[in-house]
Amino acid sequence: MSTSKTEVRRANSSARPWRWISALLAVSQLATPPVITRVFGDFLSSGATNRALVTPSGYAFSIWGMITLLTVATGVAVLRYGLGSTWETRILAELSVVYTGFSAWLVVAAQDWLWLSVAVFAAMVVALVDVVRLMVRHDGDLTCPRWVRLLATVTFGLYLGWSSVAVFVNVAAAAIRAGAPAGDVGWQAAVLVAATATAIVLTVVLRGSPGYVAAVAWALVAVAIGAAHRGSTVLSVVSAVATAVIVGTAAGQIVGTRRRHDR
């Protein structure tokens, strides 16, 4: 994707309002959780999500704190330096959808509207896939400092990795809420296989992007631990194997990319 300096300058001009919008929405992600908890109570500690065998162990959800803090740091960096690409406005608009979706998901989850929470997460993942794909596969278009590029790629990769697994956990919770047996291994193994297949495809598309792979591995290891604590050795082993497969796929993608660059 080759672009002229004039095109980049025009893109920078149109992106400025979106830099502010996305940065402010990133900050809102820090403010929303305590407000929602104060109004609705600690709703995440109960309900169908915690009954699913494939729900990650509780410690894993701490990643949300790191992700939201990183989005604020990235938003400030982008405000200062921009990304410097003709598609900057596009991804800032998509990130604004994601950050709004985060707050919307908390409200929806507090109401126990689980299928709607699946839809919200799915919309966030679709937006994040495009963001990370552009950052990874068209990074040569970016004119921002290298550290800004790295920060943004890792941050959005982490966000996508965790969210892409969370979609399937929410599917399991919604199914249980609709009457599916919470202790049944079979259908939840199918959900876990679907999550793994999706992660493998995205690992290839994103060329083993470290932020994405790290968040998926974090989530799947926590699923393995959570399943073991709930007495499901089968799901624990499946999740552990899935983690190894995804990390191996990522390693293959990274080695392949380096070889292509060395030619």
Side-chain angles (χ1 to χ4, degrees):
M1 235 187 247
S2 82
T3 54
S4 69
K5 290 182 179 180
T6 301
E7 289 175 314
V8 172
R9 280 196 296 269
R10 288 174 180 169
N12 282 337
S13 179
S14 65
R16 285 192 188 103
W18 282 105
R19 291 172 188 166
W20 279 101
I21 292 169
S22 62
L24 290 172
L25 288 171
V27 172
S28 75
Q29 295 177 114
L30 299 178
T32 303
V35 172
I36 297 296
T37 301
R38 187 175 183 82
V39 174
F40 297 105
D42 189 14
F43 61 91
L44 292 176
S45 63
S46 61
T49 301
N50 291 280
R51 294 169 58 203
L53 297 175
V54 294
T55 297
S57 186
Y59 75 87
F61 293 90
S62 63
I63 195 175
W64 272 128
M66 180 174 68
I67 289 171
T68 52
L69 285 171
L70 283 173
T71 59
V72 172
T74 304
V76 171
V78 171
L79 267 176
R80 173 65 179 82
Y81 297 100
L83 292 173
S85 170
T86 54
W87 38 264
E88 180 179 352
T89 297
R90 170 177 165 179
I91 69 170
L92 291 176
E94 289 172 333
L95 288 170
S96 297
V97 170
V98 172
Y99 301 156
T100 302
F102 174 81
S103 298
W105 165 69
L106 287 173
V107 173
V108 167
Q111 304 303 312
D112 209 25
W113 298 334
L114 296 181
W115 284 115
L116 185 54
S117 76
V118 171
V120 171
F121 254 126
M124 292 166 65
V125 167
V126 169
L128 283 165
V129 167
D130 191 52
V131 169
V132 182
R133 181 187 65 83
L134 286 169
M135 294 293 299
V136 169
R137 301 184 76 93
H138 299 288
D139 62 325
D141 295 349
L142 301 171
T143 60
C144 59
R146 184 174 180 81
W147 69 268
V148 175
R149 182 187 313 179
L150 179 62
L151 174 64
T153 303
V154 170
T155 297
F156 305 144
L158 286 169
Y159 211 141
L160 173 58
W162 177 255
S163 298
S164 63
V165 176
V167 168
F168 291 94
V169 173
N170 277 259
V171 166
I176 290 170
R177 186 76 170 79
D184 186 80
V185 172
W187 71 267
Q188 292 185 72
V191 170
L192 188 53
V193 168
T196 303
T198 300
I200 291 171
V201 170
L202 288 176
T203 298
V204 173
V205 170
L206 303 176
R207 297 175 177 170
S209 181
Y212 171 76
V213 174
V216 171
W218 172 269
L220 290 177
V221 167
V223 168
I225 294 171
H229 286 167
R230 295 179 180 91
S232 179
T233 303
V234 171
L235 289 176
S236 183
V237 171
V238 169
S239 188
V241 171
T243 305
V245 169
I246 290 163
V247 171
T249 302
Q253 288 296 307
I254 292 169
V255 170
T257 300
R258 287 179 178 172
R259 285 177 177 171
R260 286 193 294 271
H261 288 169
D262 290 341
R263 288 175 185 170

